[in-house]
Amino acid sequence: MNPRQRSGEPPDPDTLIVRAVLLASEEREIPRAAVDLAARIAERSNAPVHVFSIARVWGTSFGFPNPGLLPTKKEWDRQYDVVRKAVARLRRKGVEADARVIGSRAAAKRIVQEAKRLKCDAIVMGADPPKHMLLRDFSWAHEPYRVKAKAGDLPVYLVLDEALESAA
């Protein structure tokens, strides 16, 4: 794996040699461009891509999980559909892929933990354009940027959703 560049940006994805890539989502659809980038990074090293998605847990009640705050069946099904589509696209490209969906309140922390557990050398995620500093702490959509901050030396590639970027 190549060291990070001094600017804090991850290295050029076409120069990475990886053991595995984590394609992650915090409840959003995984953009086609993110799937394609993960495939491009993995193909270079003949590495697998692990697709990982978080179904949002809304909180706790008196410090214990409350069934009313857990993801609904519809929310779980949506996340399974998100990872199923990404895995199918990766396999059509000839890339080995598997998937996992979990529920969590701390998406960024769990995504970084999963990357380390699977010995991934890069994380790829779809992301919205960056928000103003005062607004980002209150937005679940800012989670990809939190992943990038928590990942340390692990390169995180954020692929901006083109539809959202052009609307901003």
Side-chain angles (χ1 to χ4, degrees):
M1 180 172 66
N2 296 346
R4 290 189 114 169
Q5 296 173 346
R6 288 183 192 191
S7 68
E9 288 302 309
D12 179 359
D14 293 323
T15 64
L16 282 182
I17 305 297
V18 297
R19 294 171 287 185
V21 176
L22 185 71
L23 177 59
S25 171
E26 80 311 340
E27 274 196 330
R28 77 178 65 228
E29 280 291 325
I30 299 174
R32 180 173 281 199
V35 176
D36 294 345
L37 176 60
R40 195 171 88 213
I41 293 169
E43 284 173 337
R44 180 173 166 74
S45 304
N46 197 26
V49 174
H50 303 289
V51 182
F52 183 67
S53 186
I54 302 287
R56 186 174 185 180
V57 174
W58 292 91
T60 60
S61 177
F62 300 112
F64 297 101
N66 182 315
L69 301 173
L70 296 175
T72 63
K73 181 179 179 337
K74 184 177 178 182
E75 290 168 329
W76 281 111
D77 289 344
R78 182 173 180 275
Q79 292 315 302
Y80 286 122
D81 190 46
V82 164
V83 297
R84 206 175 359 259
K85 282 193 241 176
V87 167
R89 183 165 176 79
L90 288 162
R91 288 183 178 160
R92 279 194 304 271
K93 292 176 162 292
V95 175
E96 180 186 337
D98 59 29
R100 182 170 181 215
V101 177
I102 66 162
S104 179
R105 286 181 22 199
K109 179 179 172 185
R110 290 303 306 264
I111 289 168
V112 172
Q113 285 175 343
E114 188 73 0
K116 290 177 180 177
R117 183 183 77 79
L118 295 169
K119 296 179 177 45
C120 294
D121 293 315
I123 299 173
V124 178
M125 295 183 74
D128 293 348
K131 294 191 182 313
H132 186 276
M133 183 175 63
L134 295 174
L135 300 175
R136 63 182 170 217
D137 283 342
F138 302 105
S139 174
W140 181 261
H142 193 73
E143 217 53 30
Y145 296 95
R146 290 185 192 97
V147 169
K148 194 169 188 171
K150 289 182 180 296
D153 289 336
L154 187 64
V156 177
Y157 297 91
L158 301 180
V159 177
L160 295 182
D161 189 334
E162 294 159 5
L164 293 171
E165 192 175 11
S166 62

